[in-house]
């Protein structure tokens, strides 16, 4: 099993280039199912999750070529078949379930295993299934599988009980080839939703209102070939912004959309981190006396749950008391016990974490309990005194491309063994 070793106590400096967004490319690859022609995805991040969803499509007889040198994925779904993807593959990653909507839209039926992914709490698929039912599909769940059938999906009005990103993405894709018009209200507004809509529209879909809570999708008969470049990863950008703050360093971070990281900028600014915006780059100077803050995770444009763990690591090093309230997932504080191994003073109370900053963190042997928890442990290790050994790093590789090399280039003493 691979591990990451971090030797802490060093300042970081220089600049880092952010990769394309994992949470954007996964639905885009799934969305290519709707097109029976070739799609080319440029500047794709070579991540474990990307390889998994490509394998899911290959199991459906998709022809996929991944060029890791050029960061390009060529997808040809002209010979796609109605088959059942391996349950082992689907259980590896929750985003595998995103093939459900496009497969039902294209073939009129589909059966897939219940999804897996990071163990950060219950993420029910009921909103996906309610939406497919509203579009005319007959949905059944049993023996660990979900099956949906429809002679032809038909446009409908759908109101989501919660602005679920995955459900919004699945239903956008399903509605793209449905007959008539579909309205999705209380839709997720994340930038990755906008990116999926832009990708589908580039193939000839008619999706209006992406980025707002009300989407209008006018069904089309078919989609055409496209070449597309996903947006950059706002969570990776946020992780490196926090890296500058936790090591009290100054970094330039490239490929950042200011709009996408506004809630992170707001909290870091409140903490007295100095931030300068330079077009599509951002300079973060954390070499200040930092203030404690309170954070509440919310759907976009609120503070992202995917940055909660990284901020907890940072706040553990800031004098005073901070409170983080997690409203999205009920089991997303597993990193707290690992940070406590490093000397952090964190008390959990239901969905809130009370963090009393300590003078210093110390290196320890810890485990990445999920993707963002792993990132938080790397950040804590960079700030800690001594050596931190991080296990279960396969979680980290799901969402960060060459993370140890990116940190090495800016002065981090980090190695993979």
């Amino acid at each position: 099993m691979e591990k990451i070793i971090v030797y802490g106590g060093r300042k970081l400096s220089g600049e880092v280039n952010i990769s394309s967004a994992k949470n954007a490319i996964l639905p885009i690859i799934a969305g290519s199912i709707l097109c029976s022609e070739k799609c080319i995805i440029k500047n794709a991040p070579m991540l474990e999750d990307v390889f998994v969803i490509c394998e899911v499509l290959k199991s459906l007889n998709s022809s996929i070529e991944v060029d890791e040198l050029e960061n390009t994925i060529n997808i040809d779904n002209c010979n796609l078949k109605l088959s059942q993807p391996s349950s082992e593959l689907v259980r590896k990653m929750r985003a595998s379930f995103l093939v459900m909507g496009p497969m039902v839209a294209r073939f009129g039926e589909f059966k897939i295993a219940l999804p897996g992914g990071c163990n950060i709490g219950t993420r029910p698929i009921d909103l996906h299934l309610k939406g497919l039912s509203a579009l005319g599909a007959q949905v059944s769940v049993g023996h660990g599988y979900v099956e949906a059938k429809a002679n032809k999906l038909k446009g409908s009005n759908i109101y989501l009980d919660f602005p679920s990103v995955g459900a919004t993405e699945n239903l956008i894709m399903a509605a793209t080839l449905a007959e008539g018009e579909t309205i999705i209200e209380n839709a997720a507004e994340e930038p990755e939703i906008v990116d999926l809509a832009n990708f589908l529209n580039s193939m000839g879909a008619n999706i209006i209102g992406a980025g707002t809570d009300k989407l209008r999708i006018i069904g089309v008969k078919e989609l055409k070939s496209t070449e597309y470049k996903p947006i950059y990863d706002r969570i990776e950008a946020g992780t490196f912004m926090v890296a500058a703050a936790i090591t009290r360093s100054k970094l330039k971070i490239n490929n950042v959309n200011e709009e996408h990281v506004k809630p992170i900028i707001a909290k870091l600014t409140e903490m007295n981190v100095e931030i300068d915006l330079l077009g599509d780059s951002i300079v973060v100077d954390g070499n200040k006396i930092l203030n404690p803050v309170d954070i509440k995770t919310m759907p976009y444009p609120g503070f992202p749950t995917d940055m909660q763990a990284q901020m907890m690591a940072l706040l553990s090093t800031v004098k005073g008391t901070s409170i983080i309230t997690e409203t999205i997932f009920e089991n997303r504080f597993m990193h707290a016990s690992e940070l406590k191994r490093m000397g952090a003073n964190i008390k959990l109370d239901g969905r809130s974490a009370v963090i009393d900053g300590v003078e210093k963190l110390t290196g320890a042997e810890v485990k990445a309990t999920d993707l963002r928890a792993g990132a938080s442990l790397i950040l804590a290790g960079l700030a800690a005194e001594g050596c931190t050994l991080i296990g279960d790093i396969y979680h980290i590789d799901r969402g960060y491309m060459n993370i140890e090399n990116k940190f090495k280039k800016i002065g981090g003493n980090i190695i993979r063994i």
Side-chain angles (χ1 to χ4, degrees):
M1 295 287 286
E2 288 186 321
K3 296 179 186 286
I4 283 177
I5 300 176
V6 185
Y7 297 94
R10 294 175 61 165
K11 292 272 190 179
L12 305 178
S13 64
E15 54 189 277
V16 61
N17 295 321
I18 299 303
S19 303
S20 289
K22 171 186 91 85
N23 290 338
I25 194 169
L26 298 180
I28 283 172
I29 292 172
S32 73
I33 288 170
L34 295 164
C35 175
S36 59
E37 299 179 2
K38 291 182 180 179
C39 298
I40 299 172
I41 312 300
K42 297 278 194 178
N43 197 36
M46 296 295 127
L47 301 167
E48 183 60 30
D49 276 12
V50 173
F51 299 139
V52 170
I53 202 160
C54 284
E55 289 301 315
V56 171
L57 264 68
K58 285 179 183 178
S59 74
L60 302 171
N61 207 41
S62 174
S63 175
I64 297 182
E65 295 177 3
V66 178
D67 187 334
E68 294 190 44
L69 291 177
E70 296 294 327
N71 293 335
T72 299
I73 302 175
N74 294 283
I75 306 171
D76 186 349
N77 288 322
C78 67
N79 295 317
L80 206 68
K81 289 180 181 176
L82 180 58
S83 55
Q84 189 176 304
S86 154
S87 60
E88 184 181 340
L89 269 178
V90 175
R91 289 192 184 108
K92 274 187 178 181
M93 182 181 70
R94 183 174 180 78
S96 303
F97 197 71
L98 290 174
V99 304
M100 185 77 178
M103 285 296 289
V104 175
R106 182 163 167 180
F107 291 101
E109 61 179 296
F110 191 56
K111 184 177 181 180
I112 188 171
L114 290 167
C118 280
N119 184 26
I120 57 176
T122 57
R123 293 185 280 178
I125 56 170
D126 59 324
L127 297 180
H128 302 242
L129 305 185
K130 282 182 185 176
L132 287 172
S133 296
L135 293 172
Q138 291 183 312
V139 178
S140 60
V141 181
H143 306 289
Y145 287 85
V146 179
E147 189 169 13
K149 293 183 178 181
N151 290 331
K152 179 68 178 177
L153 294 178
K154 298 185 183 296
S156 179
N157 287 355
I158 300 170
Y159 184 90
L160 295 176
D161 296 333
F162 177 83
S164 160
V165 174
T168 301
E169 290 167 342
N170 234 335
L171 297 176
I172 287 173
M173 292 186 282
T176 293
L177 295 183
E179 284 182 0
E181 179 179 291
T182 298
I183 303 291
I184 304 175
E185 294 188 80
N186 199 29
E189 302 175 33
E190 274 73 1
E192 294 79 15
I193 300 287
V194 178
D195 209 34
L196 174 62
N198 289 341
F199 167 70
L200 296 173
N201 284 342
S202 76
M203 292 194 290
N206 191 348
I207 303 163
I208 303 155
T212 73
D213 66 353
K214 186 174 181 178
L215 291 165
R216 182 169 170 241
I217 303 114
I218 301 166
V220 297
K221 288 188 176 180
E222 62 179 0
L223 298 181
K224 300 291 186 181
S225 175
T226 193
E227 186 173 304
Y228 196 78
K229 181 180 174 183
I231 58 172
Y232 289 104
D233 197 321
R234 62 194 170 100
I235 304 303
E236 185 188 19
T239 300
F240 279 95
M241 291 164 68
V242 172
I246 199 170
T247 58
R248 310 304 193 260
S249 304
K250 186 175 183 178
L251 290 176
K252 183 182 181 186
I253 304 161
N254 301 320
N255 306 329
V256 182
N257 184 321
E258 176 195 348
E259 285 296 315
H260 296 174
V261 293
K262 263 189 174 178
I264 304 167
I265 290 173
K267 280 299 166 187
L268 290 177
T269 301
E270 189 180 339
M271 292 180 68
N272 198 36
V273 176
E274 187 176 315
I275 294 177
D276 291 319
L277 304 170
L278 305 171
D280 63 355
S281 296
I282 188 168
V283 176
V284 181
D285 187 353
N287 192 20
K288 312 283 180 183
I289 296 173
L290 301 185
N291 307 317
V293 294
D294 293 343
I295 293 172
K296 184 177 184 180
T297 64
M298 296 288 284
Y300 189 86
F303 193 89
T305 180
D306 278 355
M307 281 300 303
Q308 178 256 107
Q310 300 91 312
M311 290 297 290
M312 186 180 289
L314 170 58
L315 292 170
S316 295
T317 70
V318 176
K319 186 178 180 180
T321 301
S322 302
I323 299 174
I324 296 177
T325 303
E326 173 62 57
T327 73
I328 309 298
F329 298 119
E330 80 281 1
N331 193 28
R332 206 167 197 183
F333 284 146
M334 290 187 291
H335 45 276
S337 59
E338 300 302 302
L339 290 170
K340 286 166 76 171
R341 289 176 185 270
M342 302 178 69
N345 186 353
I346 303 166
K347 294 180 178 67
L348 301 183
D349 182 12
R351 289 199 170 200
S352 293
V354 180
I355 304 127
D356 285 312
V358 296
E359 191 172 323
K360 65 178 179 181
L361 298 174
T362 53
E365 186 169 345
V366 292
K367 285 186 178 180
T369 52
D370 62 70
L371 167 56
R372 306 306 173 184
S376 77
L377 295 175
I378 290 178
L379 297 175
L382 289 166
E385 186 178 87
C387 168
T388 299
L389 179 65
I390 306 171
D392 290 354
I393 62 170
Y394 61 88
H395 286 297
I396 300 171
D397 292 335
R398 289 185 48 227
Y400 291 93
M401 186 172 163
N402 300 325
I403 192 166
E404 70 273 17
N405 292 331
K406 286 186 177 182
F407 274 115
K408 280 179 185 177
K409 287 179 180 177
I410 53 176
N413 191 351
I414 173 172
I415 58 173
R416 180 183 293 250
I417 59 169

